[in-house]
PDB file of all heavy atoms in Angstrom:
ATOM      1  N   ALA A   1     -13.505 -20.800  -5.377  1.00 88.00           N
ATOM      2  CA  ALA A   1     -13.935 -19.879  -6.433  1.00 88.00           C
ATOM      3  C   ALA A   1     -14.440 -18.575  -5.827  1.00 88.00           C
ATOM      4  O   ALA A   1     -14.148 -17.481  -6.336  1.00 88.00           O
ATOM      5  CB  ALA A   1     -15.019 -20.529  -7.284  1.00 88.00           C
ATOM      6  N   CYS A   2     -15.193 -18.681  -4.726  1.00 92.00           N
ATOM      7  CA  CYS A   2     -15.710 -17.486  -4.051  1.00 92.00           C
ATOM      8  C   CYS A   2     -14.568 -16.615  -3.542  1.00 92.00           C
ATOM      9  O   CYS A   2     -14.580 -15.390  -3.705  1.00 92.00           O
ATOM     10  CB  CYS A   2     -16.620 -17.912  -2.911  1.00 92.00           C
ATOM     11  SG  CYS A   2     -17.320 -16.546  -1.979  1.00 92.00           S
ATOM     12  N   VAL A   3     -13.565 -17.234  -2.934  1.00 94.00           N
ATOM     13  CA  VAL A   3     -12.428 -16.478  -2.399  1.00 94.00           C
ATOM     14  C   VAL A   3     -11.655 -15.793  -3.521  1.00 94.00           C
ATOM     15  O   VAL A   3     -11.243 -14.636  -3.398  1.00 94.00           O
ATOM     16  CB  VAL A   3     -11.512 -17.404  -1.576  1.00 94.00           C
ATOM     17  CG1 VAL A   3     -10.216 -16.687  -1.197  1.00 94.00           C
ATOM     18  CG2 VAL A   3     -12.230 -17.877  -0.321  1.00 94.00           C
ATOM     19  N   LEU A   4     -11.463 -16.493  -4.632  1.00 91.00           N
ATOM     20  CA  LEU A   4     -10.764 -15.878  -5.768  1.00 91.00           C
ATOM     21  C   LEU A   4     -11.508 -14.645  -6.268  1.00 91.00           C
ATOM     22  O   LEU A   4     -10.901 -13.618  -6.585  1.00 91.00           O
ATOM     23  CB  LEU A   4     -10.613 -16.884  -6.905  1.00 91.00           C
ATOM     24  CG  LEU A   4      -9.391 -17.796  -6.865  1.00 91.00           C
ATOM     25  CD1 LEU A   4      -9.440 -18.784  -8.027  1.00 91.00           C
ATOM     26  CD2 LEU A   4      -8.107 -16.983  -6.925  1.00 91.00           C
ATOM     27  N   GLU A   5     -12.836 -14.754  -6.353  1.00 90.00           N
ATOM     28  CA  GLU A   5     -13.645 -13.606  -6.780  1.00 90.00           C
ATOM     29  C   GLU A   5     -13.449 -12.434  -5.822  1.00 90.00           C
ATOM     30  O   GLU A   5     -13.334 -11.283  -6.236  1.00 90.00           O
ATOM     31  CB  GLU A   5     -15.122 -14.000  -6.818  1.00 90.00           C
ATOM     32  CG  GLU A   5     -15.481 -14.994  -7.901  1.00 90.00           C
ATOM     33  CD  GLU A   5     -15.729 -14.345  -9.247  1.00 90.00           C
ATOM     34  OE1 GLU A   5     -15.920 -13.121  -9.290  1.00 90.00           O
ATOM     35  OE2 GLU A   5     -15.742 -15.071 -10.253  1.00 90.00           O
ATOM     36  N   ILE A   6     -13.399 -12.731  -4.526  1.00 94.00           N
ATOM     37  CA  ILE A   6     -13.231 -11.684  -3.519  1.00 94.00           C
ATOM     38  C   ILE A   6     -11.869 -11.012  -3.657  1.00 94.00           C
ATOM     39  O   ILE A   6     -11.740  -9.792  -3.475  1.00 94.00           O
ATOM     40  CB  ILE A   6     -13.404 -12.282  -2.109  1.00 94.00           C
ATOM     41  CG1 ILE A   6     -14.869 -12.674  -1.882  1.00 94.00           C
ATOM     42  CG2 ILE A   6     -12.961 -11.295  -1.034  1.00 94.00           C
ATOM     43  CD1 ILE A   6     -15.104 -13.484  -0.626  1.00 94.00           C
ATOM     44  N   LEU A   7     -10.844 -11.785  -4.012  1.00 93.00           N
ATOM     45  CA  LEU A   7      -9.481 -11.257  -4.081  1.00 93.00           C
ATOM     46  C   LEU A   7      -9.215 -10.408  -5.328  1.00 93.00           C
ATOM     47  O   LEU A   7      -8.210  -9.697  -5.386  1.00 93.00           O
ATOM     48  CB  LEU A   7      -8.467 -12.409  -4.033  1.00 93.00           C
ATOM     49  CG  LEU A   7      -8.343 -13.147  -2.704  1.00 93.00           C
ATOM     50  CD1 LEU A   7      -7.463 -14.389  -2.884  1.00 93.00           C
ATOM     51  CD2 LEU A   7      -7.765 -12.246  -1.627  1.00 93.00           C
ATOM     52  N   VAL A   8     -10.108 -10.492  -6.318  1.00 90.00           N
ATOM     53  CA  VAL A   8      -9.871  -9.799  -7.589  1.00 90.00           C
ATOM     54  C   VAL A   8      -9.562  -8.311  -7.423  1.00 90.00           C
ATOM     55  O   VAL A   8      -8.584  -7.805  -7.989  1.00 90.00           O
ATOM     56  CB  VAL A   8     -11.053 -10.012  -8.562  1.00 90.00           C
ATOM     57  CG1 VAL A   8     -11.000  -9.014  -9.715  1.00 90.00           C
ATOM     58  CG2 VAL A   8     -11.025 -11.430  -9.118  1.00 90.00           C
ATOM     59  N   PRO A   9     -10.356  -7.530  -6.653  1.00 91.00           N
ATOM     60  CA  PRO A   9     -10.047  -6.093  -6.532  1.00 91.00           C
ATOM     61  C   PRO A   9      -8.666  -5.825  -5.944  1.00 91.00           C
ATOM     62  O   PRO A   9      -8.041  -4.815  -6.261  1.00 91.00           O
ATOM     63  CB  PRO A   9     -11.145  -5.565  -5.595  1.00 91.00           C
ATOM     64  CG  PRO A   9     -12.263  -6.543  -5.732  1.00 91.00           C
ATOM     65  CD  PRO A   9     -11.599  -7.867  -5.921  1.00 91.00           C
ATOM     66  N   LEU A  10      -8.180  -6.724  -5.091  1.00 92.00           N
ATOM     67  CA  LEU A  10      -6.849  -6.560  -4.512  1.00 92.00           C
ATOM     68  C   LEU A  10      -5.782  -6.695  -5.585  1.00 92.00           C
ATOM     69  O   LEU A  10      -4.772  -5.983  -5.571  1.00 92.00           O
ATOM     70  CB  LEU A  10      -6.633  -7.604  -3.414  1.00 92.00           C
ATOM     71  CG  LEU A  10      -5.379  -7.458  -2.540  1.00 92.00           C
ATOM     72  CD1 LEU A  10      -5.397  -6.132  -1.797  1.00 92.00           C
ATOM     73  CD2 LEU A  10      -5.280  -8.619  -1.563  1.00 92.00           C
ATOM     74  N   ALA A  11      -6.034  -7.582  -6.546  1.00 86.00           N
ATOM     75  CA  ALA A  11      -5.056  -7.813  -7.615  1.00 86.00           C
ATOM     76  C   ALA A  11      -4.962  -6.641  -8.580  1.00 86.00           C
ATOM     77  O   ALA A  11      -4.021  -6.558  -9.371  1.00 86.00           O
ATOM     78  CB  ALA A  11      -5.429  -9.086  -8.381  1.00 86.00           C
ATOM     79  N   GLU A  12      -5.915  -5.709  -8.525  1.00 84.00           N
ATOM     80  CA  GLU A  12      -5.900  -4.554  -9.427  1.00 84.00           C
ATOM     81  C   GLU A  12      -5.041  -3.416  -8.895  1.00 84.00           C
ATOM     82  O   GLU A  12      -4.822  -2.433  -9.593  1.00 84.00           O
ATOM     83  CB  GLU A  12      -7.331  -4.057  -9.647  1.00 84.00           C
ATOM     84  CG  GLU A  12      -8.225  -5.060 -10.359  1.00 84.00           C
ATOM     85  CD  GLU A  12      -9.648  -4.554 -10.474  1.00 84.00           C
ATOM     86  OE1 GLU A  12     -10.334  -4.458  -9.447  1.00 84.00           O
ATOM     87  OE2 GLU A  12     -10.072  -4.245 -11.595  1.00 84.00           O
ATOM     88  N   GLN A  13      -4.598  -3.529  -7.635  1.00 87.00           N
ATOM     89  CA  GLN A  13      -3.788  -2.468  -7.018  1.00 87.00           C
ATOM     90  C   GLN A  13      -2.334  -2.922  -6.950  1.00 87.00           C
ATOM     91  O   GLN A  13      -2.054  -4.081  -6.635  1.00 87.00           O
ATOM     92  CB  GLN A  13      -4.293  -2.163  -5.602  1.00 87.00           C
ATOM     93  CG  GLN A  13      -5.796  -1.971  -5.509  1.00 87.00           C
ATOM     94  CD  GLN A  13      -6.283  -0.798  -6.321  1.00 87.00           C
ATOM     95  OE1 GLN A  13      -5.614   0.237  -6.382  1.00 87.00           O
ATOM     96  NE2 GLN A  13      -7.441  -0.926  -6.948  1.00 87.00           N
ATOM     97  N   ASN A  14      -1.407  -2.007  -7.208  1.00 87.00           N
ATOM     98  CA  ASN A  14       0.008  -2.401  -7.216  1.00 87.00           C
ATOM     99  C   ASN A  14       0.464  -2.941  -5.864  1.00 87.00           C
ATOM    100  O   ASN A  14       1.189  -3.937  -5.799  1.00 87.00           O
ATOM    101  CB  ASN A  14       0.876  -1.209  -7.635  1.00 87.00           C
ATOM    102  CG  ASN A  14       0.802  -0.940  -9.129  1.00 87.00           C
ATOM    103  OD1 ASN A  14       0.711  -1.872  -9.923  1.00 87.00           O
ATOM    104  ND2 ASN A  14       0.810   0.317  -9.514  1.00 87.00           N
ATOM    105  N   HIS A  15       0.042  -2.288  -4.756  1.00 93.00           N
ATOM    106  CA  HIS A  15       0.472  -2.788  -3.448  1.00 93.00           C
ATOM    107  C   HIS A  15      -0.200  -4.121  -3.132  1.00 93.00           C
ATOM    108  O   HIS A  15       0.385  -4.983  -2.474  1.00 93.00           O
ATOM    109  CB  HIS A  15       0.179  -1.759  -2.342  1.00 93.00           C
ATOM    110  CG  HIS A  15      -1.260  -1.465  -2.129  1.00 93.00           C
ATOM    111  ND1 HIS A  15      -1.959  -0.561  -2.895  1.00 93.00           N
ATOM    112  CD2 HIS A  15      -2.162  -1.964  -1.237  1.00 93.00           C
ATOM    113  CE1 HIS A  15      -3.212  -0.506  -2.481  1.00 93.00           C
ATOM    114  NE2 HIS A  15      -3.365  -1.356  -1.471  1.00 93.00           N
ATOM    115  N   GLY A  16      -1.434  -4.307  -3.637  1.00 93.00           N
ATOM    116  CA  GLY A  16      -2.101  -5.591  -3.457  1.00 93.00           C
ATOM    117  C   GLY A  16      -1.432  -6.677  -4.274  1.00 93.00           C
ATOM    118  O   GLY A  16      -1.286  -7.823  -3.830  1.00 93.00           O
ATOM    119  N   LEU A  17      -1.032  -6.292  -5.472  1.00 90.00           N
ATOM    120  CA  LEU A  17      -0.333  -7.230  -6.351  1.00 90.00           C
ATOM    121  C   LEU A  17       0.986  -7.684  -5.725  1.00 90.00           C
ATOM    122  O   LEU A  17       1.349  -8.864  -5.781  1.00 90.00           O
ATOM    123  CB  LEU A  17      -0.083  -6.552  -7.695  1.00 90.00           C
ATOM    124  CG  LEU A  17       0.137  -7.440  -8.917  1.00 90.00           C
ATOM    125  CD1 LEU A  17      -0.979  -8.447  -9.080  1.00 90.00           C
ATOM    126  CD2 LEU A  17       0.252  -6.568 -10.162  1.00 90.00           C
ATOM    127  N   SER A  18       1.687  -6.748  -5.104  1.00 92.00           N
ATOM    128  CA  SER A  18       2.957  -7.084  -4.444  1.00 92.00           C
ATOM    129  C   SER A  18       2.725  -8.088  -3.319  1.00 92.00           C
ATOM    130  O   SER A  18       3.502  -9.041  -3.151  1.00 92.00           O
ATOM    131  CB  SER A  18       3.610  -5.813  -3.886  1.00 92.00           C
ATOM    132  OG  SER A  18       3.940  -4.926  -4.916  1.00 92.00           O
ATOM    133  N   TYR A  19       1.653  -7.885  -2.558  1.00 95.00           N
ATOM    134  CA  TYR A  19       1.332  -8.818  -1.477  1.00 95.00           C
ATOM    135  C   TYR A  19       1.057 -10.216  -2.043  1.00 95.00           C
ATOM    136  O   TYR A  19       1.568 -11.229  -1.530  1.00 95.00           O
ATOM    137  CB  TYR A  19       0.114  -8.312  -0.698  1.00 95.00           C
ATOM    138  CG  TYR A  19      -0.555  -9.371   0.136  1.00 95.00           C
ATOM    139  CD1 TYR A  19      -0.009  -9.764   1.359  1.00 95.00           C
ATOM    140  CD2 TYR A  19      -1.715 -10.004  -0.305  1.00 95.00           C
ATOM    141  CE1 TYR A  19      -0.614 -10.764   2.127  1.00 95.00           C
ATOM    142  CE2 TYR A  19      -2.322 -10.993   0.458  1.00 95.00           C
ATOM    143  CZ  TYR A  19      -1.770 -11.373   1.665  1.00 95.00           C
ATOM    144  OH  TYR A  19      -2.363 -12.358   2.397  1.00 95.00           O
ATOM    145  N   LEU A  20       0.255 -10.285  -3.107  1.00 93.00           N
ATOM    146  CA  LEU A  20      -0.079 -11.577  -3.699  1.00 93.00           C
ATOM    147  C   LEU A  20       1.155 -12.262  -4.273  1.00 93.00           C
ATOM    148  O   LEU A  20       1.275 -13.496  -4.212  1.00 93.00           O
ATOM    149  CB  LEU A  20      -1.143 -11.388  -4.782  1.00 93.00           C
ATOM    150  CG  LEU A  20      -2.506 -10.889  -4.288  1.00 93.00           C
ATOM    151  CD1 LEU A  20      -3.410 -10.546  -5.462  1.00 93.00           C
ATOM    152  CD2 LEU A  20      -3.176 -11.932  -3.395  1.00 93.00           C
ATOM    153  N   GLU A  21       2.052 -11.474  -4.826  1.00 91.00           N
ATOM    154  CA  GLU A  21       3.295 -12.052  -5.350  1.00 91.00           C
ATOM    155  C   GLU A  21       4.153 -12.614  -4.224  1.00 91.00           C
ATOM    156  O   GLU A  21       4.750 -13.691  -4.361  1.00 91.00           O
ATOM    157  CB  GLU A  21       4.073 -10.999  -6.141  1.00 91.00           C
ATOM    158  CG  GLU A  21       3.444 -10.659  -7.491  1.00 91.00           C
ATOM    159  CD  GLU A  21       4.202  -9.568  -8.217  1.00 91.00           C
ATOM    160  OE1 GLU A  21       4.659  -8.620  -7.553  1.00 91.00           O
ATOM    161  OE2 GLU A  21       4.346  -9.680  -9.443  1.00 91.00           O
ATOM    162  N   ARG A  22       4.232 -11.893  -3.108  1.00 94.00           N
ATOM    163  CA  ARG A  22       5.023 -12.378  -1.971  1.00 94.00           C
ATOM    164  C   ARG A  22       4.457 -13.695  -1.453  1.00 94.00           C
ATOM    165  O   ARG A  22       5.207 -14.547  -0.974  1.00 94.00           O
ATOM    166  CB  ARG A  22       5.026 -11.343  -0.833  1.00 94.00           C
ATOM    167  CG  ARG A  22       5.791 -10.072  -1.123  1.00 94.00           C
ATOM    168  CD  ARG A  22       6.098  -9.309   0.164  1.00 94.00           C
ATOM    169  NE  ARG A  22       4.921  -9.029   0.976  1.00 94.00           N
ATOM    170  CZ  ARG A  22       4.143  -7.973   0.824  1.00 94.00           C
ATOM    171  NH1 ARG A  22       4.408  -7.097  -0.149  1.00 94.00           N
ATOM    172  NH2 ARG A  22       3.106  -7.773   1.623  1.00 94.00           N
ATOM    173  N   ARG A  23       3.162 -13.856  -1.553  1.00 94.00           N
ATOM    174  CA  ARG A  23       2.520 -15.090  -1.088  1.00 94.00           C
ATOM    175  C   ARG A  23       2.470 -16.159  -2.184  1.00 94.00           C
ATOM    176  O   ARG A  23       1.854 -17.199  -1.992  1.00 94.00           O
ATOM    177  CB  ARG A  23       1.094 -14.792  -0.608  1.00 94.00           C
ATOM    178  CG  ARG A  23       1.013 -13.878   0.616  1.00 94.00           C
ATOM    179  CD  ARG A  23       1.622 -14.559   1.839  1.00 94.00           C
ATOM    180  NE  ARG A  23       1.350 -13.841   3.067  1.00 94.00           N
ATOM    181  CZ  ARG A  23       2.122 -12.897   3.579  1.00 94.00           C
ATOM    182  NH1 ARG A  23       3.235 -12.550   2.945  1.00 94.00           N
ATOM    183  NH2 ARG A  23       1.815 -12.299   4.722  1.00 94.00           N
ATOM    184  N   ARG A  24       3.075 -15.887  -3.330  1.00 91.00           N
ATOM    185  CA  ARG A  24       3.179 -16.833  -4.459  1.00 91.00           C
ATOM    186  C   ARG A  24       1.797 -17.331  -4.920  1.00 91.00           C
ATOM    187  O   ARG A  24       1.617 -18.477  -5.344  1.00 91.00           O
ATOM    188  CB  ARG A  24       4.073 -18.023  -4.079  1.00 91.00           C
ATOM    189  CG  ARG A  24       5.492 -17.616  -3.706  1.00 91.00           C
ATOM    190  CD  ARG A  24       6.354 -18.827  -3.389  1.00 91.00           C
ATOM    191  NE  ARG A  24       6.482 -19.715  -4.542  1.00 91.00           N
ATOM    192  CZ  ARG A  24       7.308 -19.529  -5.569  1.00 91.00           C
ATOM    193  NH1 ARG A  24       8.099 -18.453  -5.576  1.00 91.00           N
ATOM    194  NH2 ARG A  24       7.359 -20.380  -6.559  1.00 91.00           N
TER     195      ARG A  24
END
């Protein structure tokens, strides 16, 4: 849960979103 909270700001950026999508 802590890690997910930390990752939230990355998911708000298009390049961050692309990275998260590549990692499924």
Side-chain angles (χ1 to χ4, degrees):
C2 180
V3 171
L4 273 177
E5 292 277 344
I6 290 170
L7 290 171
V8 165
L10 189 61
E12 296 176 291
Q13 312 298 322
N14 284 324
H15 64 277
L17 203 53
S18 297
Y19 162 78
L20 295 172
E21 288 177 321
R22 291 197 306 273
R23 296 295 191 270
R24 300 182 62 80

